[in-house]
Amino acid sequence: SDPYRVLVAEVMLQQTQVDRVVPKYLEFTDRFPDFASLASASPSDVLRQWQGLGYNRRALALHRAAREVVESHGGFLPQDKPTLMRLPGIGSYSASAIRAFAFNQPDAFIETNIRTVFIHHFFPGAERVTDAEILPIVEMAIDRDNPSRWYQALMDYGVHLKQQDNASRRSAHYRSQSGFEGSLRQARGEVLRVLLDEGTLTFDRLRAAIPTWDSRYADALNA
């Protein structure tokens, strides 16, 4: 329920599966245990600790958010949704999830496991179910006395249902993530790893430092 740790977890879980997040979350919060320690770190230190999660813009956004919390909010994460959404890297879903888990506020929100539960029970046999159809039911179902515990149970139940019949695939918003091996994401991560290890490099020296160099790496630099 610690607001800082909830924020870190929610940012890490954007576009990344739980099993990859857990070890990095533990390492990251050990290295940066609170807003002050993260805010005072250098961007390169934050990126170095983030390595392995990908989508590195999230790390830089989280770093900027920590600085804003320290400089503008006295080191305390704001509770109201509009202010949360003004923090770097925090959209409507993340703000609602943070409010539910850190402050036990009954905001309605949807993620993949929640989506699975509601499609399974309320849209049997339906295809391309939209979040706009699901959200009013989520709103009615929230346990307003303890929304944090409710959402944790709901997500765990969604994981259980996925092992039997992944109803989230019938969502209009379902997208399967492309493979990491051989991807632009992999190339970008390798470029970042070399630069964090070696510091500033010319293009030729960077290319020489990556034996598997191909067109993806140039694309990663230009992205």
Side-chain angles (χ1 to χ4, degrees), residues 1-14 77-82 84-85 87 89-114 135 138 142 146-152 154-155:
S1 61
D2 176 70
Y4 170 74
R5 290 173 181 261
V6 171
L7 174 65
V8 172
E10 288 300 329
V11 173
M12 285 187 169
L13 287 165
Q14 295 168 358
L77 190 66
Q79 295 192 30
D80 66 287
K81 187 170 181 178
L84 280 170
M85 289 179 63
L87 294 176
I90 303 302
S92 179
Y93 161 78
S94 294
S96 290
I98 289 165
R99 278 172 47 80
F101 294 126
F103 304 117
N104 210 28
Q105 296 298 309
D107 281 17
F109 65 91
I110 298 172
E111 54 81 66
T112 180
N113 295 306
I114 294 171
L135 196 60
V138 176
I142 295 173
N146 198 337
S148 175
R149 188 176 181 184
W150 160 251
Y151 274 121
Q152 290 180 49
L154 196 62
M155 289 178 176

Side-chain angles (χ1 to χ4, degrees), residues 4-200:
Y4 170 74
R5 290 173 181 261
V6 171
L7 174 65
V8 172
E10 288 300 329
V11 173
M12 285 187 169
L13 287 165
Q14 295 168 358
Q15 299 176 287
T16 306
Q17 293 180 338
V18 173
D19 57 350
R20 285 183 59 203
V21 166
V22 170
K24 296 303 295 185
Y25 166 83
L26 295 173
E27 293 172 10
F28 193 92
T29 53
D30 184 60
R31 174 67 177 81
F32 308 115
D34 49 34
F35 284 112
S37 58
L38 180 56
S40 64
S42 69
S44 59
D45 283 344
V46 175
L47 286 170
R48 192 171 288 110
Q49 197 64 48
W50 191 270
Q51 274 189 284
L53 280 179
Y55 300 103
N56 296 289
R57 287 187 181 90
R58 294 179 300 169
L60 298 176
L62 180 60
H63 187 214
R64 294 197 305 274
R67 288 187 169 177
E68 190 166 327
V69 168
V70 169
E71 293 168 4
S72 303
H73 302 285
F76 295 96
L77 190 66
Q79 295 192 30
D80 66 287
K81 187 170 181 178
T83 306
L84 280 170
M85 289 179 63
R86 286 195 288 271
L87 294 176
I90 303 302
S92 179
Y93 161 78
S94 294
S96 290
I98 289 165
R99 278 172 47 80
F101 294 126
F103 304 117
N104 210 28
Q105 296 298 309
D107 281 17
F109 65 91
I110 298 172
E111 54 81 66
T112 180
N113 295 306
I114 294 171
R115 192 179 287 124
T116 298
V117 173
F118 283 88
I119 292 177
H120 175 82
H121 283 285
F122 293 95
F123 300 90
E127 298 291 337
R128 299 197 58 76
V129 181
T130 67
D131 284 356
E133 295 174 275
I134 298 171
L135 196 60
I137 310 173
V138 176
E139 177 73 42
M140 288 187 287
I142 295 173
D143 178 353
R144 297 184 179 277
D145 292 329
N146 198 337
S148 175
R149 188 176 181 184
W150 160 251
Y151 274 121
Q152 290 180 49
L154 196 62
M155 289 178 176
D156 282 349
Y157 180 40
V159 171
H160 170 72
L161 286 177
K162 279 183 176 180
Q163 295 170 355
Q164 304 171 35
D165 173 30
N166 190 351
S168 68
R169 291 174 179 163
R170 295 192 280 111
S171 164
H173 311 282
Y174 176 77
R175 301 288 184 275
S176 59
Q177 191 175 50
S178 58
F180 180 73
E181 196 66 32
S183 67
L184 184 63
R185 287 183 293 131
Q186 184 186 39
R188 188 181 295 117
E190 181 65 7
V191 167
L192 181 63
R193 184 193 64 77
V194 171
L195 291 176
L196 288 172
D197 287 345
E198 302 292 336
T200 303

